[in-house]
Structure formats: C-alpha cells, structure tokens
Amino acid sequence: MQTAEEARAARVACPIAPGRRELNYAANVEPTRTAYRQLLEMPLCSHGCCHIICAMTDVTKYLDGRTLILLSNREPYEHLASSERVHVRQPPGGLVSALDPTMRRTSGTWVAWGSGSADRETSDAVGRLGVPPYDPAYTLRRVWLSETDIEGYYLGFANSALWPLCHLLIQHFEFHAEHWESYKAVNERFAAAVHEESLRAKGVAQVWVQDYHFALVPAELRRRAGNIFIHHFWHIPFPPPDILRLLPMGIPEALLTGLLGNDLVEFHTERYAQNFLSCVREFLPDADVRGESLRVGIDGRQVMLGAFPISIDVEAFERLALSEESDARATALRQRYARGGRALGISVDRIDYTKGIPERLRALDRLWTDTPELRGRFTMIIVATPSRTELVPYQNLQSEVLASVRQLNERFGTPDWEPIVLVHENVHAELLAAVYRAADLCLVSSLQDGMNLVAKEFVASQVDEHGVLVLSRFTGAAEEIADAVLINPFNVGGFADGIRTALEMPPDERRRRMRAMRAQLHRSTIFDWLESILVKCAALMDSRLADDGGRERNAVGGDGATNGPPRSRATSTRSADDWREALP
Ligand code: ADP
Ligand code: F6P
C-alpha cells in the first residue's frame, strides 16, 4: 500500500497538457484509508472523490428510515487487475456520475453487475463490499454474469435492440430470440438478488431500478415481494409505439407489463412519459391510461409516471473548476491551444452512435471549407472514450471517428495549428472541469439523448462565464436549458452556422447567456432531482398506507405530491395537491 507521499510521487504525464505532471489515482495508486483522507484534502485529487467533500442536501429524511436498494447494470466501482496491482475506477456514463454522489448520501445498497476483472477477489463470498472502497458509505452487491449472459442480455437485447430503438436509430437495431431469452433470465436473476437484499435491509426496503437493462425486474420483484415499493428511472428516451412495434409480437407487451410492476416510473421529460403511455394504450388495451394525470391502472393497481430531469452535482463541478489547479490547467490549455485570440472548443462523449460525433466532424469540415478565414481561428479538443467496443457498430464508429479526425487534421492543419486534438481515453472529473472551464464553446451534437450530462457539466464549470453551449435540440437538456445555441445535428449546414454563431457571439451576450444557464442549473441539481423523486415516492407510500387504512380517496398516487421542490410532509395535504393539480 502507498502512503499519500508515495501517491503524490506517482505522477504521470497529463494526456491533454503534455509536460505537466498529474496525479493519476486510477492508474497508479492504491492508497490506504488514511492516505486517501490526506488525498481528499489536497487541492488536486484525481480519483473522483471530490464529491465526498462537497456539501450535499440531506435527503435521508425523505427515506424516513427506509433502506434504499438501487439496481443498475453498471456498477459504480469496478476493480481491475493489471500486471502489477488491482486498481479501482468509476466507469464513464451519466448513470454512475449521477447516482454515486446520491447513494453516498442515502447509505443503502447498490446491486449491479460485477464487471471488473478483479471484482470477485475484492468482494465477499456473496459479492458484497463497502464503497467507495477507501471510505465506505454504502454497500455494493455484485451479481456475476457469464460470457453468454453478457452477450445475450447486455450486448444483445439491451444494447443491440432496446438502445437503438429507444434512440430512434433503427438502422442499428438487431434482434435475436436467444438474446431476448437471456434478457429474461438475467432480469429474473437480478430480481432475486434485489429481493435477497431487501430481506436483509434494516427496516422497510424501497427499491429503485435503473434503466432499460431491467424492464422486467419490477413485475418479477412484485411477484416475489408483493407489496414492496418499487420505482424505476428510465435514463434514455422512450420510443413511440411505431418503433416499439419493430420488436417481435409479445415482446413490447412483456416489456410494458414488466415496467408496470413499478409504483412509479420516472422519465427525464414528459414527452418520454407520454410515449410510454401511447405504447401502453396500443399494446395493453385493457390498461386504464390517464394521460393528463400520467397514470395507468392495471390489475387493480395504479402506476404513476413523472418527469424528473436528471442533473449533476453542480457545486462539486464548480468547486473543481474553481480550484487553483484547474485555474493553472485552464491557463496552460489556453496558452497551448488558444494563443493569439484563437478560440477553444470542447466535446466529451463515449463513442456512441447516439452522440452524433461524425455529424459534428462533418459540421467542422463544412465550417472550415466554407469559411477559410475561420481556419486557425479555433481548436477543438474532442474527448471521446471507447464504449461497448465488443459491438460491431461501435467498432466501426470508432474507426470512422479516428479516420475522420486524421483527415481533417491533414486537410486543414498547418505547422502552427492542429484543428482537432483527440483525447481517446477516460479523463478524470478534475481534468474535465478544467478543460470545460478553459473552453469558449462546447459542442453537444447527440442525434437523440435522454438528457446529456456533459452539457450541464460544461455550464457548471464555466466559472469565468465566457463559453457558449452549442446543443442538439434532440437532447433532454435542450428542453430544460434556455440560452444555449440550439442545433440540428442532421442539418450539417445549420450545425456549422451554429458553431459560427457561437464563435462570433459578442462577450456581453456570452456572459449574459452563460450566467442565465448557470443560475438555472443551480436551481436544478442532482440533489433536487433526488429529492423530488424521493418526495414523490414518500407521498405515494403515504397514500398507499391511507388506502390500506380504508380512507376514502381517489386512485392511489398522483395526488400526493408534485415533482416540484419538496414541501414539508406535515403540510402536504391531498386537498392542497388536488387544488394544485386542478390549476392550468
Ligand atoms: P451517457 O450517459 O450516454 O454516457 P451523458 O452525457 O449523460 O451520456 O453522461 C456522460 C457522463 O460520462 C458524463 O458525466 C461525462 O463526464 C462522463 N464521460 C463521458 N466521456 C468521458 C470521458 N472520456 N472521460 C471521463 N468521463 C467521461
Ligand atoms: O445513461 C445511459 C447509459 O446506458 C447508462 O445506463 C450507462 O451506464 C451509460 O449509458 C454507459 O453505458 P454502458 O454502461 O453500457 O457502458
């Protein structure tokens, strides 16, 4: 084990600003608990733990003594074996970025696939361990999957069928009956693990399922655990019926019935919730669908839906961006890439066909072709992490992105200027915050995206308020964030115009827009998101209890809470809520 001193010494070259030396925890350091605490106090830490020291809203009160059991496919901490040592990392992706800080606060149990090569040796016989590994705040329960499971359930049905369908990118849709069989079997296995954890939980358990990997879990869990409270956050768009119909007959019905095992289904936007209701209307004609109040009656139960736009730990990002280290990094980045009035652009994504990376490169090509005077005027840093590399569309996309960047650099580059700097790896949050801070524009070009957290991370990190957000109108974020420059990534010319607008925007307008976006983001953080969901759940549970007590009331749920900021439960009366709901 290394001490903090040794850890400090274990520095490696920074991929973005060569010549500078950075601490790289994930790759080199396995500190002791004490050393870890010392690292926390350092102005620079490179292992995602800064979230721990940020001030967070106390959300435990909304759990009212219940234990939160969260289920997701992706685990929050993955142990990997290298030739020298075992190290831990946080996998990239919006789900983990959003939920780890919240789970640290609620100290429950997170059930997930143990995907790391050293996961078994770092957990107990059942697959449990305390996380974060050096300052445990909650329990991670790992579930083991075989190669066949991974191929059928994860790479197959979840990522080759549901992922493209939900993102309306049907050219990537692939269906195999054996993948569906595997998805069903794995969902059952996870439901059993969650049930087991719920029986171990102190007090009453509240189960929170995440995403499209587990559409069948809620109904299966309800079959096993009866009256348990189950809710589900769907992190990606939900498609309209015409798209879901591309699945073989019987499967849309099974997926929707599975999801209707929940008490509450949460989407980023009301549009996705309405798509879900349209699908229920079409595929489950016996269900009682109430579009205005976002609820479904089925099998004598009421299932609520709601729009809860996910967010980020805004203050943590802001703090990272404001640190002396970020200041120094941002200055270094600007000196290197934005000398002499040159602008600096940034984009950050997993290499996924939903993110519109080739479309972004085409827009840059168009911009530099049509407006030669903009050559040399700005540099793009494209941070693009490999993702789901076992799948052919992802492999092809990666090759395409690498080749296009090379071609663009060859065509437009000069001895003094490299148009695109490609960072083809995982970048830790501290460094991301500095790059976001340094940038004059951020390009988010998703073809479809449930929310897109990168847009929010950029805004949170823009502490000097000079950056412009160029944002695809097909992200959930675009429905929430005003003052971005909205683009349609399918319209190459319009996208290039959007970049030009951002580059030419006067400083006063940049500042005004960024300030407005920052103020709005501060009103809608990851903790507001979590609170609004937990408040809604608490109200639904209250009304269920009232129901069980035989009090006269309307249908269960929907009437107990709004998705807005939490109110004191003592003053949250149903009549007050009815009145609110009655307002236009
Ligand atoms: P998705 O969930 O589809 O990956 P989001 O934009 O909602 O898309 O979330 C992506 C998350 O993953 C963000 O928190 C972002 O910072 C992180 N991320 C994306 N690419 C990288 C990368 N190259 N290195 C580190 N983190 C990354
Ligand atoms: O946010 C959508 C999502 O699918 C998450 O569920 C997931 O963690 C993230 O994208 C990254 O994908 P994966 O877990 O397949 O690497």
Tab-separated table of all heavy atoms in Angstrom, residues 185-204:
chain	number	residue	atom	x	y	z
A	185	ALA	N	-33.883	-14.130	-18.530
A	185	ALA	CA	-33.258	-14.923	-17.457
A	185	ALA	C	-32.429	-14.020	-16.536
A	185	ALA	O	-32.482	-14.154	-15.306
A	185	ALA	CB	-32.377	-16.009	-18.080
A	186	VAL	N	-31.682	-13.098	-17.124
A	186	VAL	CA	-30.822	-12.234	-16.296
A	186	VAL	C	-31.685	-11.292	-15.460
A	186	VAL	O	-31.383	-11.025	-14.292
A	186	VAL	CB	-29.797	-11.472	-17.180
A	186	VAL	CG1	-29.069	-10.411	-16.382
A	186	VAL	CG2	-28.803	-12.458	-17.787
A	187	ASN	N	-32.774	-10.800	-16.026
A	187	ASN	CA	-33.671	-9.949	-15.241
A	187	ASN	C	-34.201	-10.709	-14.023
A	187	ASN	O	-34.295	-10.168	-12.929
A	187	ASN	CB	-34.835	-9.447	-16.109
A	187	ASN	CG	-34.547	-8.090	-16.752
A	187	ASN	OD1	-35.232	-7.112	-16.498
A	187	ASN	ND2	-33.511	-8.007	-17.574
A	188	GLU	N	-34.508	-11.977	-14.222
A	188	GLU	CA	-35.005	-12.775	-13.101
A	188	GLU	C	-33.945	-12.911	-12.016
A	188	GLU	O	-34.222	-12.817	-10.837
A	188	GLU	CB	-35.368	-14.172	-13.606
A	188	GLU	CG	-36.860	-14.361	-13.735
A	188	GLU	CD	-37.207	-15.778	-14.131
A	188	GLU	OE1	-36.917	-16.737	-13.371
A	188	GLU	OE2	-37.739	-15.902	-15.233
A	189	ARG	N	-32.703	-13.109	-12.482
A	189	ARG	CA	-31.606	-13.285	-11.527
A	189	ARG	C	-31.391	-12.006	-10.710
A	189	ARG	O	-31.172	-12.033	-9.505
A	189	ARG	CB	-30.333	-13.648	-12.299
A	189	ARG	CG	-29.358	-14.353	-11.476
A	189	ARG	CD	-28.631	-15.506	-12.130
A	189	ARG	NE	-28.674	-15.641	-13.540
A	189	ARG	CZ	-27.641	-15.361	-14.353
A	189	ARG	NH1	-26.523	-14.856	-13.872
A	189	ARG	NH2	-27.740	-15.597	-15.637
A	190	PHE	N	-31.446	-10.856	-11.388
A	190	PHE	CA	-31.257	-9.597	-10.666
A	190	PHE	C	-32.436	-9.344	-9.714
A	190	PHE	O	-32.244	-8.819	-8.616
A	190	PHE	CB	-31.075	-8.429	-11.637
A	190	PHE	CG	-29.642	-8.252	-12.071
A	190	PHE	CD1	-29.183	-8.780	-13.268
A	190	PHE	CD2	-28.746	-7.553	-11.272
A	190	PHE	CE1	-27.860	-8.631	-13.660
A	190	PHE	CE2	-27.418	-7.391	-11.657
A	190	PHE	CZ	-26.979	-7.925	-12.857
A	191	ALA	N	-33.632	-9.721	-10.159
A	191	ALA	CA	-34.792	-9.532	-9.275
A	191	ALA	C	-34.594	-10.356	-7.994
A	191	ALA	O	-34.888	-9.891	-6.889
A	191	ALA	CB	-36.072	-9.947	-9.996
A	192	ALA	N	-34.039	-11.564	-8.160
A	192	ALA	CA	-33.809	-12.415	-6.983
A	192	ALA	C	-32.771	-11.769	-6.060
A	192	ALA	O	-32.932	-11.771	-4.826
A	192	ALA	CB	-33.339	-13.796	-7.438
A	193	ALA	N	-31.717	-11.203	-6.645
A	193	ALA	CA	-30.671	-10.572	-5.819
A	193	ALA	C	-31.237	-9.372	-5.071
A	193	ALA	O	-30.952	-9.163	-3.887
A	193	ALA	CB	-29.488	-10.157	-6.693
A	194	VAL	N	-32.055	-8.583	-5.751
A	194	VAL	CA	-32.647	-7.411	-5.097
A	194	VAL	C	-33.576	-7.867	-3.972
A	194	VAL	O	-33.575	-7.304	-2.875
A	194	VAL	CB	-33.408	-6.548	-6.130
A	194	VAL	CG1	-34.231	-5.471	-5.438
A	194	VAL	CG2	-32.437	-5.911	-7.114
A	195	HIS	N	-34.326	-8.912	-4.248
A	195	HIS	CA	-35.231	-9.429	-3.217
A	195	HIS	C	-34.432	-9.855	-1.988
A	195	HIS	O	-34.773	-9.522	-0.851
A	195	HIS	CB	-36.035	-10.606	-3.791
A	195	HIS	CG	-37.104	-11.095	-2.875
A	195	HIS	ND1	-37.490	-12.407	-2.816
A	195	HIS	CD2	-37.863	-10.443	-1.955
A	195	HIS	CE1	-38.437	-12.538	-1.899
A	195	HIS	NE2	-38.676	-11.356	-1.370
A	196	GLU	N	-33.340	-10.559	-2.232
A	196	GLU	CA	-32.477	-11.009	-1.133
A	196	GLU	C	-31.986	-9.802	-0.321
A	196	GLU	O	-32.027	-9.810	0.904
A	196	GLU	CB	-31.272	-11.690	-1.774
A	196	GLU	CG	-30.734	-12.883	-1.060
A	196	GLU	CD	-29.676	-13.507	-1.967
A	196	GLU	OE1	-30.095	-14.212	-2.909
A	196	GLU	OE2	-28.468	-13.262	-1.753
A	197	GLU	N	-31.523	-8.764	-1.032
A	197	GLU	CA	-31.014	-7.583	-0.325
A	197	GLU	C	-32.149	-6.895	0.429
A	197	GLU	O	-31.928	-6.336	1.504
A	197	GLU	CB	-30.359	-6.594	-1.298
A	197	GLU	CG	-29.088	-7.121	-1.966
A	197	GLU	CD	-28.014	-7.555	-0.971
A	197	GLU	OE1	-27.826	-6.870	0.051
A	197	GLU	OE2	-27.381	-8.614	-1.214
A	198	SER	N	-33.349	-6.929	-0.126
A	198	SER	CA	-34.463	-6.257	0.559
A	198	SER	C	-34.801	-6.982	1.861
A	198	SER	O	-35.206	-6.372	2.835
A	198	SER	CB	-35.686	-6.166	-0.360
A	198	SER	OG	-36.314	-7.429	-0.444
A	199	LEU	N	-34.591	-8.315	1.881
A	199	LEU	CA	-34.876	-9.064	3.107
A	199	LEU	C	-33.816	-8.780	4.178
A	199	LEU	O	-34.091	-8.842	5.370
A	199	LEU	CB	-34.922	-10.568	2.800
A	199	LEU	CG	-36.053	-10.990	1.843
A	199	LEU	CD1	-35.965	-12.479	1.512
A	199	LEU	CD2	-37.423	-10.664	2.440
A	200	ARG	N	-32.606	-8.442	3.726
A	200	ARG	CA	-31.523	-8.126	4.673
A	200	ARG	C	-31.613	-6.697	5.189
A	200	ARG	O	-30.927	-6.315	6.136
A	200	ARG	CB	-30.162	-8.225	3.961
A	200	ARG	CG	-29.651	-9.590	3.712
A	200	ARG	CD	-28.292	-9.452	3.049
A	200	ARG	NE	-27.219	-9.250	3.991
A	200	ARG	CZ	-26.364	-8.239	3.982
A	200	ARG	NH1	-26.458	-7.291	3.084
A	200	ARG	NH2	-25.396	-8.146	4.866
A	201	ALA	N	-32.361	-5.853	4.484
A	201	ALA	CA	-32.351	-4.420	4.780
A	201	ALA	C	-32.891	-4.127	6.166
A	201	ALA	O	-33.786	-4.821	6.650
A	201	ALA	CB	-33.193	-3.687	3.748
A	202	LYS	N	-32.301	-3.082	6.746
A	202	LYS	CA	-32.846	-2.614	8.026
A	202	LYS	C	-34.169	-1.922	7.722
A	202	LYS	O	-34.237	-1.087	6.826
A	202	LYS	CB	-31.903	-1.578	8.636
A	202	LYS	CG	-30.683	-2.155	9.270
A	202	LYS	CD	-30.076	-1.112	10.229
A	202	LYS	CE	-28.579	-1.292	10.333
A	202	LYS	NZ	-27.817	-0.436	9.466
A	203	GLY	N	-35.184	-2.239	8.453
A	203	GLY	CA	-36.477	-1.584	8.228
A	203	GLY	C	-37.055	-1.962	6.881
A	203	GLY	O	-36.721	-2.985	6.290
A	204	VAL	N	-37.883	-1.071	6.356
A	204	VAL	CA	-38.570	-1.357	5.098
A	204	VAL	C	-37.655	-0.986	3.932
A	204	VAL	O	-36.937	-0.001	3.984
A	204	VAL	CB	-39.864	-0.510	5.028
A	204	VAL	CG1	-40.592	-0.719	3.716
A	204	VAL	CG2	-40.758	-0.860	6.204
